[in-house]
Amino acid sequence: GAYSASPGIELVRQDVARFLQRRDGVAAKAEDIFLSTGASDAIVSILKLLVSGEGPSRTGVLIPIPQYPLYSAAIAELSAVQLNYYLDEEHCWALDVAELRRALAEGRRHCCPRVLCIINPGNPTGQVQSRQCIEDVIKFAFEEKLFLMADEVYQDNIYAEGSAFHSFKKVLFEMGPPYSEVVELASFHSVSKGFMGDSVGPRGGDGDATDPSGLLVLGFPSQTPIHGSHLWVPVLGFPSQTPIHGCHLWEKTAVLNALAHKARLTQEIFNKSPGIHCNPVQGAMYSFPRIELPPRALAAAKEQGQAPDMFFCMKLLEETGICVVPGSGFGQ
């Protein structure tokens, strides 16, 4: 019940810094890290810093479609401009820089694009970006002077053979100057996602700010929850010399192996079902299948004044009791 410093408990931030240094092989400082009530609050806080202007000078924020609805909600609340770039379903929801350029050019007609949001591994699409893709995105942000926001809360959840997680911070610093000296980056991780949990119970998140000017001032109106902050310990991992290290590693491995099995099962069953196609679930906790509705279903949806995906979801709920979100809830 005690108050903490606004950016979070110093000891926990030092632990997070050591974790990031081990993960990336790049120096990390506790003063560059702030703890929050889940990654969502950290993302909104950064967006608040970056949004400004009115009319044609309003801040534009590029977000992936399909998207995690946190982004569209936060952008609307802050009166910024949402700029959609579409992931390539035919290539396992890959991010195409040509599509980023299209979205940026379109956005510049009516606002001032300043921010590029990346979700890797993907939510709700479950893809994992290649290192080459991340390098291309960093070069794009450098050329277009965009602030990068890297949502990496599912970084432990990698399932597909040949897929690997590469943090934007690690790739940025390995690319070296001029990129590492110029590109501004905020990356996000979370206790309430990944292998520990999924949005429920105690919440904890962190943001790591990489600012070449050496100064990033963050103003927070509330305190960081203390017990949520301490949950970072099992996420970061226990030192190898501690008695609990082996038990923790066994449990983490078991959870991730079970999730990988379910990811493969989901993909296989969807693709065996008539009219359904699902890309490989490379990571995160999501599949985003495409469902082809027959002409009579499309006609029935039109008669009822419903979008076809909403019509399907309501029928599924009524006939099976299964509740799902229509694809349009994610922008596609």
Side-chain angles (χ1 to χ4, degrees):
Y3 283 104
S4 75
S6 289
I9 301 166
E10 175 73 16
L11 187 64
V12 178
R13 288 188 290 130
Q14 289 173 359
D15 285 342
V16 173
R18 282 191 287 270
F19 161 76
L20 293 173
Q21 191 157 324
R22 287 197 311 271
R23 185 194 71 181
D24 298 333
V26 177
K29 298 179 291 183
E31 53 264 37
D32 292 336
I33 292 158
F34 64 92
L35 307 178
S36 62
T37 314
S40 298
D41 275 11
I43 289 166
V44 172
S45 295
I46 292 291
L47 283 173
K48 284 179 180 177
L49 292 173
L50 299 170
V51 170
S52 64
E54 295 180 359
S57 69
R58 274 201 305 167
T59 295
V61 182
L62 288 100
I63 64 170
I65 301 295
Q67 58 113 10
Y68 177 42
L70 159 71
Y71 291 93
S72 55
I75 290 166
E77 183 181 357
L78 297 171
S79 296
V81 180
Q82 177 178 321
L83 304 176
N84 298 335
Y85 65 89
Y86 290 86
L87 302 176
D88 186 353
E89 183 179 4
E90 299 306 319
H91 294 89
C92 207
W93 300 112
L95 193 163
D96 184 359
V97 171
E99 170 62 10
L100 288 180
R101 295 194 188 284
R102 180 206 62 77
L104 183 71
E106 187 175 299
R108 282 181 171 155
R109 295 175 189 163
H110 58 276
C111 69
C112 182
R114 294 189 177 98
V115 188
L116 170 57
C117 297
I118 309 290
I119 308 176
N120 180 50
N123 178 357
T125 42
Q127 88 284 4
V128 178
Q129 291 179 4
S130 67
R131 182 191 170 93
Q132 184 59 56
C133 175
I134 293 171
E135 287 187 10
D136 292 343
V137 169
I138 289 171
K139 290 175 182 176
F140 174 77
F142 170 81
E143 292 165 5
E144 304 296 345
K145 298 180 174 60
L146 297 172
F147 188 103
L148 267 176
M149 293 179 62
D151 181 338
E152 300 174 331
V153 301
Y154 287 107
Q155 59 191 256
D156 288 301
N157 300 64
I158 308 296
Y159 313 130
E161 188 175 341
S163 294
F165 172 73
H166 303 280
S167 79
F168 267 78
K169 181 178 180 181
K170 177 182 175 70
V171 175
L172 174 60
F173 278 88
E174 288 182 348
M175 289 172 70
Y179 306 106
S180 59
E181 294 176 343
V182 174
V183 173
E184 294 173 308
L185 167 70
S187 56
F188 306 92
H189 197 3
S190 178
V191 173
S192 42
K193 298 286 186 178
F195 67 93
M196 280 289 291
D198 192 17
S199 303
V200 296
R203 291 180 59 78
D206 80 51
D208 178 23
T210 303
D211 179 25
S213 69
L215 178 65
L216 182 62
V217 180
L218 301 174
F220 295 99
S222 60
Q223 307 297 318
T224 304
I226 288 179
H227 60 293
S229 299
H230 284 303
L231 284 175
W232 272 109
V233 176
V235 171
L236 304 178
F238 295 92
S240 57
Q241 65 271 25
T242 57
I244 200 173
H245 170 75
C247 180
H248 172 261
L249 186 61
W250 176 87
E251 184 173 357
K252 175 182 177 180
T253 303
V255 169
L256 289 172
N257 285 344
L259 289 170
H261 171 71
K262 291 172 184 176
R264 288 191 295 272
L265 199 62
T266 300
Q267 168 193 331
E268 289 169 7
I269 292 174
F270 272 141
N271 285 324
K272 288 177 182 177
S273 304
I276 300 180
H277 169 75
C278 182
N279 276 319
V281 182
Q282 296 175 322
M285 285 185 173
Y286 312 100
S287 62
F288 201 80
R290 181 176 70 233
I291 300 174
E292 305 286 353
L293 297 183
R296 285 177 61 198
L298 297 175
K302 188 174 182 180
E303 284 177 14
Q304 295 185 22
Q306 290 182 325
D309 58 349
M310 177 59 78
F311 174 81
F312 174 87
C313 291
M314 292 306 296
K315 285 292 183 184
L316 186 68
L317 178 62
E318 291 165 3
E319 296 180 15
T320 69
I322 297 171
C323 181
V324 296
V325 180
S328 51
F330 300 92
Q332 185 167 327

